Amino acid sequence: MASDSPESLMTLCTDYCLRNLEGTLCYLLDNETLRLHPDIFLPSEICDKLVNEYVELVKTDSIFEPHESFFTLFSDPRSTRLARIHLREHIVQDQDLEAIRKQDLIELYLTNCEKLTAKSLQTLVSFSHTLVSLSLFGCSNIFYEEENPGGCEDDCLVNPTRQVLVKDFTFEGFSRLRILNLGRLIEGVNVETLLRPLASLAALDLSGIQLNDVGFLTQWKDSLVSLVLYNMDLSEEHIQVIAQLRKLRHLDISRDHLSSYYKFKLTRRVLNLFVENLVNLTSLDISGHTMLENCTIPSMEEKMGQTSIEPAKSSIAPFRGLKRPLQFLGLFETSLCRLTHIPAYKVSGDKNEEQVLNAIEAYTEHRPEITSRAINLLFDIARIERCSQLLRALQLVITALKCHKDDKNIQVTGSAALFYLTNSEYRMEQSVKLRRQVIQVVLNGMESYQEVTVQRNCCLTLCNFSIPEELEFQYRRVNELLLNILNQSRQDESIQRIAVHLCNALVCQVDNDHKEAVGKMGFVMTMLKLIQKKLADKTCDQVMEFSWSALWNITDETPDNCEMFLNYSGMKLFLECLKEFPEKQELHRNMLGLLGNVAEVKELRPQLMTSQFISVFSNLLESKADGIEVSYNACGVLSHIMFDGLEAWGICEPHREEVVKRMWAAIQSWDINSRRNINYRSFEPILRLLPQGISPVSQHWATWALYNLVSVYPDKYCPLLIKEGGIPLLKDMIKMASARQETKEMARKVIEHCSNFKEENMDTSR
């Protein structure tokens, strides 16, 4: 299960070594094959951890690159020792098991390894003298081998190889084998013949296998302590055999009530038979069963009062015969789980949060079909009520999502549950590590599924995090995934809106290296395409506004992205949007903010020097949209253009003096106490306009901007101005003959504000 405790040093070292094999344990032979350094010997504690963590990384971390020759590192027991390994799904192939055939494995779990064929059955024989525990769960092809019916080279072209069932394999020689899982074994294999050589099995799992006769199980009546017959269609004969296995401590005859029609009905008599004969039973799972007879105590006979797990008070009549409460009782999707007195310490069911969490915990690894329904119940609890076991709930959902990355139902229900389990109500209860685990499984889901519901759930869940701070450790990956969503030809409107919002938040308040990297991923082009599509539809909605806002943020002090905007016909779209949506104030503010960033780049300003653009900027000086923001940003664009001097004014209309006059009028019309819809990370672009006499109006705009910001937001902007050396620049400007008197007066007020701020915040404590 996902843990909320700090990672151990062992785990951190293992992770580092696996991500840097060439720089730590290995070298590359012939530039392609990994080899252990010759002076290395690794004990089983380390080797087991390396193999098991490698499988986990390949399965859950898309950035991690698998190595084709990884398992060959463990081929020689003189330098590496393996004892207990868990391999999953497509990660392991026949040659991987073959590579470790000389190891003395004690425990080998193979789960859903569909690439394994009968070649691996022969490899298993290599481990027969040491193997104590073996799982072949879901290894659907391991009893198949390839056969060429033609037998000659020419015939192979006509008759390709076909799969033939191996029927002669048995566990002969596996003398130490005690624990065996054959869940979902394919039809045609004779289970009785396969198992007969095993002398003293202690645990057997035959999930999903249909056997009419299980009489052979009685050969282990003195040794079998755990038996799992999940989804086996039972009969009276099955029950009679089970009742003879008197050593059983764990019995699972549960079923998925949705998977197919079962004739067998669980009766009061059957449960009585189990209680009377299986006296060592501590765990029983009867989930999914329909009860033919009434197994419950009539409510009038139930002893009222505090809920009890004592067998004598049991609401389930047959369990009154138990000598002690069960450790676990599986009642998921049965009517019994809703009774008052259930004689078990842990119950799986759908009555309350505790039962639902127990169900997720019990069924996650091998029963995704049940797990998805249990997570759906948890989703309802988290959505409607308050989740009282938040940490456990989150860890269980994370584990389920990691374990079943390719299961659509679990990805849908799990991502929906995560949205509610990570909202602000629960924020304080979650550690940084746990929230990072959530982010990683959410990104896994987005990567694996283009399905609308999963994508929407994942995007919504990401909105519960502080952006960009909490996503920065996966910054590149999350941006790539969001851009991939936005570049899809057919888009769900709601996902598009959320994805653009996230993109915007991710490029706001991050350093320029991040912005440049995201720009190179195609961010600017993606946003412009979205704008173009909305423009074609004549729609100005949140997607349109967020797209311009995102472009404003990503071009902030990032010349490369500003250049991309111009190269991809951004100015054409700006003019078209201005014409199509003349009343959309928020849109105008975002567009002008972006153009302010472009205008700050000296090399790009000549591209803004056209009669059309300058006329548009001049006209926007008189805009009252969004308070002063549109007028302010238009004036900022023109201030940088004016700063290049008279010789850079390469147009006849409008005249430079006329534009300057309109700029002065605009600045004088603004309220100095205006609250701003803007966020400066640096004053550098503004400060560069102060020490110059080329354009007094640009100097005045810059001074007004500083005065407004330090007046209205002194706590934020006084320290920034002081830190960036703005005070000496203002003092020098006051001495300049070319500066306007009103500009100088404003500069003095800025200096005074900052001086007062420093005095007020000075530490006078002794």
Side-chain angles (χ1 to χ4, degrees):
M1 189 190 295
S3 168
D4 199 34
S5 57
E7 298 287 10
S8 67
L9 183 58
M10 174 76 159
T11 298
L12 293 171
C13 291
T14 303
D15 184 79
Y16 182 81
C17 287
L18 288 170
R19 293 179 188 277
N20 303 276
L21 281 170
E22 285 178 59
T24 53
L25 304 173
C26 305
Y27 66 95
L28 266 187
L29 181 68
D30 302 327
N31 288 325
E32 55 180 57
T33 308
L34 277 174
R35 286 283 183 268
L36 272 182
H37 287 297
D39 55 348
I40 284 178
F41 172 78
L42 300 173
S44 60
E45 292 83 359
I46 291 176
C47 291
D48 291 350
K49 183 85 171 170
L50 283 167
V51 169
N52 295 332
E53 286 299 315
Y54 172 82
V55 171
E56 182 73 6
L57 282 173
V58 173
K59 183 170 167 53
T60 61
D61 189 341
S62 65
I63 300 168
F64 183 75
E65 286 288 331
H67 296 272
E68 195 172 319
S69 54
F70 176 77
F71 286 91
T72 62
L73 300 178
F74 306 93
S75 59
D76 188 351
R78 291 172 298 181
S79 56
T80 56
R81 294 279 173 84
L82 288 173
R84 294 174 172 83
I85 58 172
H86 297 213
L87 309 178
R88 300 184 68 89
E89 298 169 18
H90 64 277
I91 297 163
V92 61
Q93 300 184 43
D94 290 325
Q95 61 265 32
D96 299 322
L97 275 190
E98 175 67 21
I100 60 171
R101 68 195 309 270
K102 293 179 182 177
Q103 294 287 351
D104 292 335
L105 291 183
I106 296 168
E107 188 178 283
L108 175 61
Y109 286 0
L110 302 171
T111 305
N112 294 323
C113 298
E114 295 181 354
K115 289 193 174 181
L116 295 183
T117 70
K119 290 177 184 175
S120 288
L121 285 180
Q122 299 312 310
T123 307
L124 288 182
V125 176
S126 307
F127 310 127
S128 60
H129 60 292
T130 56
L131 213 54
V132 174
S133 181
L134 172 66
S135 172
L136 300 179
F137 182 88
C139 298
S140 54
N141 295 311
I142 201 164
F143 280 88
Y144 280 109
E145 64 182 352
E146 290 182 352
E147 179 188 81
N148 176 18
C152 71
E153 194 172 324
D154 293 334
D155 204 39
C156 292
L157 301 173
V158 183
N159 298 303
T161 56
R162 61 191 179 94
Q163 299 295 313
V164 179
L165 191 65
V166 173
K167 295 185 178 181
D168 58 354
F169 178 84
T170 71
F171 285 109
E172 185 73 47
F174 287 73
S175 57
R176 300 186 64 190
L177 197 62
R178 298 289 181 272
I179 301 166
L180 180 61
N181 186 337
L182 295 177
R184 297 190 181 167
L185 187 70
I186 48 98
E187 286 184 33
V189 177
N190 189 315
V191 176
E192 182 178 354
T193 305
L194 184 68
L195 300 181
R196 189 179 294 125
L198 298 175
S200 48
L201 267 184
L204 180 62
D205 189 327
L206 299 174
S207 295
I209 302 172
Q210 300 307 324
L211 297 175
N212 295 325
D213 181 8
V214 291
F216 65 90
L217 294 177
T218 56
Q219 68 181 296
W220 302 297
K221 65 182 179 183
D222 294 325
S223 63
L224 205 62
V225 295
S226 174
L227 178 62
V228 178
L229 304 177
Y230 169 70
N231 262 358
M232 186 180 288
D233 196 6
L234 303 173
S235 67
E236 182 60 32
E237 289 73 23
H238 289 82
I239 300 302
Q240 292 304 321
V241 170
I242 292 168
Q244 295 178 55
L245 306 174
R246 294 174 179 271
K247 299 283 188 180
L248 280 183
R249 293 202 291 269
H250 171 65
L251 174 62
D252 184 345
I253 56 167
S254 63
R255 67 190 195 192
D256 175 7
H257 77 285
L258 296 183
S259 64
S260 60
Y261 174 72
Y262 292 95
K263 298 183 286 295
F264 180 77
K265 301 288 190 294
L266 204 55
T267 65
R268 187 168 182 159
R269 184 189 62 79
V270 170
L271 291 180
N272 276 326
L273 194 66
F274 289 163
V275 171
E276 289 165 12
N277 289 276
L278 308 180
V279 293
N280 296 308
L281 213 57
T282 60
S283 172
L284 175 65
D285 201 332
I286 54 174
S287 297
H289 275 282
T290 305
M291 306 298 169
L292 187 64
E293 296 177 9
N294 188 358
C295 293
T296 61
I297 299 294
S299 56
M300 63 187 69
E301 292 180 29
E302 269 195 302
K303 291 180 181 176
M304 289 297 108
Q306 194 172 356
T307 303
S308 173
I309 63 167
E310 288 303 311
K313 298 178 181 178
S314 173
S315 301
I316 306 167
F319 294 153
R320 290 194 166 187
L322 290 168
K323 290 184 174 60
R324 67 193 72 81
L326 294 168
Q327 293 296 317
F328 175 82
L329 180 56
L331 299 175
F332 189 70
E333 295 182 323
T334 71
S335 55
L336 301 182
C337 72
R338 298 189 167 271
L339 297 173
T340 306
H341 304 302
I342 300 175
Y345 292 102
K346 186 178 275 192
V347 178
S348 72
D350 54 28
K351 179 183 179 181
N352 53 36
E353 182 183 340
E354 174 70 20
Q355 288 188 2
V356 168
L357 293 178
N358 290 340
I360 299 170
E361 187 172 61
Y363 308 129
T364 285
E365 184 169 12
H366 291 139
R367 302 177 194 176
E369 64 278 7
I370 306 290
T371 307
S372 65
R373 300 205 290 275
I375 293 175
N376 202 41
L377 292 168
L378 177 63
F379 162 74
D380 285 333
I381 291 166
R383 180 173 60 92
I384 299 165
E385 310 164 28
R386 179 174 170 82
C387 194
S388 60
Q389 298 183 56
L390 173 73
L391 191 61
R392 185 182 175 209
L394 261 179
Q395 290 170 335
L396 286 169
V397 174
I398 289 168
T399 301
L401 286 166
K402 286 170 76 172
C403 189
H404 300 287
K405 187 179 172 185
D406 301 319
D407 187 291
K408 179 184 167 185
N409 290 331
I410 283 189
Q411 291 300 318
V412 169
T413 57
S415 57
L418 284 182
F419 171 69
Y420 285 100
L421 292 170
T422 55
N423 67 25
S424 56
E425 182 185 359
Y426 299 118
R427 177 69 183 91
M428 297 306 293
E429 300 173 48
Q430 297 163 18
S431 67
V432 171
K433 178 185 173 185
L434 192 62
R435 286 175 74 80
R436 284 191 168 194
Q437 289 173 332
V438 172
I439 290 165
Q440 284 172 320
V441 294
V442 163
L443 297 182
N444 286 346
M446 290 171 71
E447 220 156 37
S448 301
Y449 281 92
Q450 304 306 313
E451 202 272 337
V452 170
T453 313
V454 175
Q455 296 277 350
R456 186 188 297 113
N457 291 348
C458 290
C459 286
L460 283 170
T461 301
L462 291 178
C463 293
N464 286 338
F465 291 81
S466 300
I467 304 172
E469 297 83 9
E470 287 190 280
L471 299 184
E472 206 153 359
F473 80 106
Q474 295 274 294
Y475 193 77
R476 182 177 186 87
R477 186 181 177 204
V478 70
N479 273 292
E480 283 176 344
L481 287 168
L482 290 169
L483 291 178
N484 183 50
I485 288 172
L486 292 171
N487 281 318
Q488 289 166 13
S489 52
R490 296 181 66 184
Q491 292 175 6
D492 176 86
E493 195 72 29
S494 62
I495 297 176
Q496 188 184 65
R497 186 171 62 253
I498 303 161
V500 175
H501 163 72
L502 286 167
C503 281
N504 188 21
L506 279 162
V507 294
C508 184
Q509 300 297 302
V510 291
D511 61 47
N512 293 355
D513 288 344
H514 278 334
K515 292 181 182 180
E516 285 174 9
V518 174
K520 288 178 179 137
M521 287 181 206
F523 188 101
V524 176
M525 172 70 91
T526 300
M527 294 302 144
L528 289 172
K529 280 182 181 174
L530 289 174
I531 290 165
Q532 198 163 27
K533 190 173 185 307
K534 291 294 175 184
L535 197 56
D537 297 339
K538 299 187 183 301
T539 304
C540 183
D541 56 7
Q542 283 186 317
V543 172
M544 170 73 95
E545 290 178 3
F546 283 155
S547 298
W548 279 108
S549 179
L551 289 170
W552 181 4
N553 283 318
I554 203 172
T555 53
D556 180 33
E557 295 186 54
T558 316
D560 285 355
N561 292 342
C562 292
E563 187 173 11
M564 276 189 226
F565 171 78
L566 293 178
N567 290 345
Y568 297 146
S569 306
M571 290 303 293
K572 178 173 176 286
L573 285 177
F574 160 67
L575 293 174
E576 288 174 357
C577 285
L578 206 59
K579 182 180 178 183
E580 186 64 44
F581 310 111
E583 305 302 320
K584 295 289 183 178
Q585 298 187 8
E586 183 86 3
L587 181 69
H588 294 183
R589 176 178 71 88
N590 293 344
M591 293 194 299
L592 264 294
L594 156 64
L595 293 180
N597 292 337
V598 176
E600 289 171 8
V601 184
K602 182 176 176 62
E603 296 75 19
L604 301 180
R605 286 199 285 270
Q607 295 188 52
L608 302 180
M609 182 52 69
T610 70
S611 293
Q612 185 181 27
F613 294 153
I614 298 297
S615 296
V616 167
F617 299 143
S618 300
N619 292 335
L620 288 170
L621 287 168
E622 292 163 17
S623 170
K624 296 292 182 277
D626 200 18
I628 68 165
E629 294 303 330
V630 172
S631 177
Y632 170 88
N633 284 324
C635 200
V637 173
L638 291 167
S639 293
H640 288 288
I641 291 171
M642 294 294 174
F643 177 60
D644 290 336
L646 187 60
E647 65 278 7
W649 197 266
I651 55 173
C652 298
E653 291 290 336
H655 293 297
R656 189 173 187 272
E657 294 73 21
E658 178 193 331
V659 176
V660 167
K661 189 176 175 184
R662 294 179 74 174
M663 288 169 69
W664 279 109
I667 297 169
Q668 284 159 354
S669 73
W670 302 336
D671 178 2
I672 198 64
N673 296 312
S674 296
R675 299 195 70 79
R676 306 302 307 286
N677 222 331
I678 202 164
N679 188 15
Y680 282 101
R681 289 189 305 132
S682 168
F683 281 145
E684 196 277 327
I686 293 176
L687 294 177
R688 74 171 76 126
L689 298 177
L690 293 179
Q692 51 92 18
I694 299 167
S695 174
V697 71
S698 304
Q699 201 175 48
H700 191 70
W701 174 83
T703 310
W704 189 97
L706 296 173
Y707 183 30
N708 165 254
L709 293 167
V710 299
S711 302
V712 181
Y713 308 102
D715 291 349
K716 180 174 183 179
Y717 290 118
C718 286
L720 183 62
L721 184 60
I722 294 164
K723 178 188 168 189
E724 295 194 335
I727 304 303
L729 288 173
L730 288 164
K731 287 179 177 177
D732 289 345
M733 188 261 284
I734 291 170
K735 298 173 188 173
M736 290 175 63
S738 59
R740 288 275 196 101
Q741 196 57 41
E742 56 194 301
T743 309
K744 294 179 180 182
E745 284 301 316
M746 201 172 278
R748 290 188 184 97
K749 289 176 183 176
V750 175
I751 295 167
E752 187 181 339
H753 262 288
C754 290
S755 177
N756 291 341
F757 176 82
K758 280 182 75 175
E759 287 175 15
E760 286 171 14
N761 289 274
M762 192 175 291
D763 187 359
T764 56
S765 60
R766 290 172 183 260

